[in-house]
Amino acid sequence: MKQPFQYSDPDAAIAALAERLSVVGETEPVNEPVGRIIAEPIVADRDSPAADVSAMDGYAVRMSDLQSDSVVPVSGISQAGAAPPAMEAGHVVRIFTGAIIPDGCQAVVKREDTEELEASIRFLPAAIESTVPGSHIRRRGENAPVGSNVLDIGTEVTPAVVAALANFGRTTPVCYRRVKVAVLTTGDEVVDPATPALEPWQLRNSNRSAVQAMLCQYPSAILEIVEHVKDDRDSLQQSLDAAIAACDVVVLTGGVSMGDYDYVPDTIEHLGAEIVFHGLPIRPGKPILGAATKDGKLVLGLPGNPVSATINCHRFLMPLLRRIAGKPSWPDKPSMVTLSDPPQKAIPLHTMLLVRMTDTGAAELVPAKGSGDLVALGRSDGYVAVPPMATTTGPWPLFRW
């Protein structure tokens, strides 16, 4: 087997693998777009705002009528959702936030800067001092003029983006299709999680559950194949070949080390994929494997130990999924957090340590017994990435589940 390049850290390995992956090209209109990636520019179908509007509750005035102690009659009301009234000379118009500015109005005076009489107002000194032409008027098109780009290709749809889409009438935006994912778990000792009674040598398939759960959090991916494969070279090759043909991403758990039944690396290479990395200076997950097919599909081989598989699925798969889904800013952007206690031991590896957040905003290490400690995994809020030989409290990057 050809020896892959040795990368010094996980970010470099992820970036190298990302360069070899293809973005999904097909698009589709989407009725429920949250979490999806926009595949065409969103253009303003009209000015935003569509007219000059008031930014305050108050009174539309001409500057010539803005005089100290003068009493000015109120000739009408401009309210949101209606055409404005005509503005008579020597009069003001009561106006509400979001209402259209009447012709002839040069400024809006805040309601609290006036003394309101029965059918007129008197300007208080604050109005005279602070009001200038254009005060409290939002101009037509100041957010975006008609025909301008308001959202770019590659934008991930959030609830905030949904609001912007609705404002311009784009309730079914065109998005990239979902990334098709296959999950293949291995290990003859592994059984379905719903199995009620197990022998001591059997394990419930938590890896499958963890990967499925992560994919459920990302609407731009869809799980096409879920299969448990026997520790048999021919079975693995058949299942992997079919998964690569049907999907954009294949995630395997187990079988990536150097044991007698670890057929994943040879099988991937036999099927023509390029192994970009196999083994990284990380803990947990040192045997991890990343590969790309000739047409830019991702094959990710995760270790079989459940804590290692879960952490490395989150650390490696999720950013690469964003890359394949069409998001330009796909790398992780973790927040920084200080540990309540430093790591206990300096090791020459990039370490991912399970943590839970405290009420003070710090992170405390979750006591763990190794890569099989699912109790510790379940008690964690995420993990921190600590560089080699580090024994300080940080701050270090925090990756939340």
Side-chain angles (χ1 to χ4, degrees):
M1 186 175 82
K2 179 183 175 183
Q3 291 299 310
F5 183 81
Q6 297 298 309
Y7 294 94
S8 60
D9 65 82
D11 287 327
I14 291 169
L17 184 50
E19 290 178 357
R20 295 163 169 81
L21 302 178
S22 298
V23 174
V24 294
E26 300 87 349
T27 63
E28 58 189 7
V30 178
N31 290 316
E32 297 180 358
V34 173
R36 302 292 294 274
I37 307 298
I38 293 174
E40 65 177 13
I42 303 300
V43 176
D45 65 336
R46 64 174 187 164
D47 292 321
S48 176
D52 291 354
V53 297
S54 178
M56 291 283 179
D57 290 346
Y59 293 90
V61 304
R62 291 183 176 88
M63 296 302 295
S64 59
D65 295 324
L66 190 64
Q67 298 179 25
S68 179
D69 292 330
S70 62
V71 175
V72 184
V74 178
S75 63
I77 297 176
S78 182
Q79 55 191 15
M87 192 165 178
E88 300 177 21
H91 291 66
V92 297
V93 169
R94 187 176 181 184
I95 194 164
F96 294 92
T97 302
I100 293 179
I101 298 294
D103 289 340
C105 169
Q106 295 173 309
V108 172
V109 175
K110 292 187 292 185
R111 185 179 185 185
E112 54 265 38
D113 289 344
T114 67
E115 179 186 356
E116 296 181 321
L117 307 173
E118 186 173 346
S120 59
I121 62 167
R122 178 181 288 114
F123 297 111
L124 299 178
I128 308 300
E129 294 167 5
S130 64
T131 304
V132 297
S135 287
H136 309 305
I137 296 176
R138 295 183 56 221
R139 295 301 181 186
R140 175 178 178 173
E142 70 175 33
N143 298 333
V146 63
S148 64
N149 265 25
V150 293
L151 294 169
D152 295 327
I153 293 174
T155 299
E156 184 173 351
V157 180
T158 64
V161 171
V162 168
L165 290 168
N167 186 58
F168 298 104
R170 300 301 299 272
T171 55
T172 55
V174 174
C175 299
Y176 291 112
R177 69 156 172 82
R178 290 175 173 174
V179 180
K180 299 175 182 178
V181 182
V183 176
L184 307 180
T185 57
T186 67
D188 289 345
E189 75 279 18
V190 176
V191 299
D192 189 271
T195 304
L198 278 66
E199 299 293 344
W201 56 84
Q202 292 180 311
L203 298 171
R204 293 189 176 96
N205 196 344
S206 61
N207 288 344
R208 183 183 73 191
S209 299
V211 177
Q212 284 182 286
M214 282 189 217
L215 292 173
C216 286
Q217 292 181 320
Y218 192 55
S220 277
I222 184 169
L223 194 55
E224 291 280 300
I225 296 173
V226 180
E227 184 180 349
H228 187 70
V229 185
K230 294 181 179 180
D231 285 332
D232 172 80
R233 191 185 300 273
D234 292 339
S235 298
L236 177 63
Q237 180 170 323
Q238 183 178 354
S239 296
L240 183 56
D241 193 16
I244 291 174
C247 297
D248 309 295
V249 173
V250 181
V251 181
L252 302 105
T253 67
V256 294
S257 297
M258 302 297 291
D260 290 344
Y261 299 102
D262 292 331
Y263 302 124
V264 169
D266 287 341
T267 304
I268 289 174
E269 196 166 56
H270 179 76
L271 292 174
E274 176 193 1
I275 296 178
V276 179
F277 57 82
H278 182 201
L280 292 173
I282 60 175
R283 178 182 289 179
K286 192 174 181 180
I288 191 169
L289 182 151
T293 66
K294 290 183 175 64
D295 53 352
K297 296 182 177 184
L298 170 64
V299 182
L300 184 65
L302 301 172
N305 288 330
V307 174
S308 179
T310 303
I311 289 177
N312 285 283
C313 180
H314 190 270
R315 184 73 177 86
F316 287 79
L317 176 62
M318 300 315 291
L320 292 172
L321 271 182
R322 294 192 292 269
R323 165 75 169 81
I324 297 167
K327 187 173 182 180
S329 56
W330 57 268
D332 279 316
K333 297 179 179 64
S335 57
M336 303 298 288
V337 68
T338 300
L339 293 173
S340 56
D341 295 297
Q344 295 179 352
K345 188 185 298 184
I347 62 172
L349 300 171
H350 293 266
T351 312
M352 293 170 282
L353 302 172
L354 295 173
V355 295
R356 56 187 164 219
M357 302 306 296
T358 68
D359 293 339
T360 63
E364 62 181 13
L365 298 175
V366 176
K369 304 298 184 183
S371 288
D373 192 347
L374 285 162
V375 176
L377 182 69
R379 290 174 175 169
S380 68
D381 295 318
Y383 54 94
V384 293
V386 178
M389 306 307 296
T391 57
T392 69
T393 56
W396 304 121
L398 168 68
F399 298 82
R400 286 181 176 270
W401 298 126

